[in-house]
Structures are given as C-alpha cells and as structure tokens.
Amino acid sequence: RQPEVSVEFAEFLAARVLTSPRLMDELANGKRKAEFEALMRRVVPFVVPDSVVAAACGGLRQLALQPASHPAHEYMARKL
C-alpha cells in the first residue's frame, strides 16, 4: 500500500501545493523576496543595469498573478 500512497501524495503535491503560480509567487513575493532579488543581481552579468534586474523581478511578480493556464505556467508545470 505504501507505493500507492506515495504516488497519490506526490500527485496531490504537484496539483495543489507545488504549482507554478505558487512557486513563482513565493519567490517573487514571499518572505525571502529580498534574498531572491539579491540572487538575481548576483547571477545576472554586472553589465546589466540594476533597473533591468528589478524589472525582471517585477515581471516575475506579475507572472505569479496570472492564471495557471498562462503559457509560462503551463511550461513550468510540464518541467516540474
């Protein structure tokens, strides 16, 4: 029975908890938002202005608000 329960639990997590909109929202708006933005600044080449990095983070915040049917969320869901 354990394998069946594990599969059911994994399906539940994928469908209800670890969704693309929820993950993006947590990254962009969650309690570690500042850490995420600092990570973005570290990994984006220094020649890219801070304003562009900030705009990218803002875009992610906006994307998090889009329905799960948005193409970016659908893509992320397939990759998760």
Side-chain angles (χ1 to χ4, degrees):
R1 175 87 176 115
Q2 181 61 40
E4 293 87 7
V5 172
S6 295
V7 168
E8 289 177 27
F9 186 65
E11 289 171 353
F12 169 81
L13 284 177
R16 303 276 169 94
V17 179
L18 298 175
T19 65
S20 174
R22 285 182 183 229
L23 290 171
M24 285 188 189
D25 184 53
E26 184 59 33
L27 284 172
N29 302 307
K31 62 183 174 183
R32 294 197 160 159
K33 171 185 167 186
E35 291 176 45
F36 173 72
E37 290 175 355
L39 171 68
M40 290 289 290
R41 180 65 274 176
R42 282 194 311 273
V43 299
V44 173
F46 73 92
V47 296
V48 177
D50 288 343
S51 61
V52 174
V53 175
C57 291
L60 186 65
R61 280 192 291 282
Q62 292 300 314
L63 181 57
L65 301 174
Q66 298 301 311
S69 59
H70 187 282
H73 289 311
E74 289 180 346
Y75 172 80
M76 191 167 167
R78 286 191 307 272
K79 296 302 176 180
L80 289 173

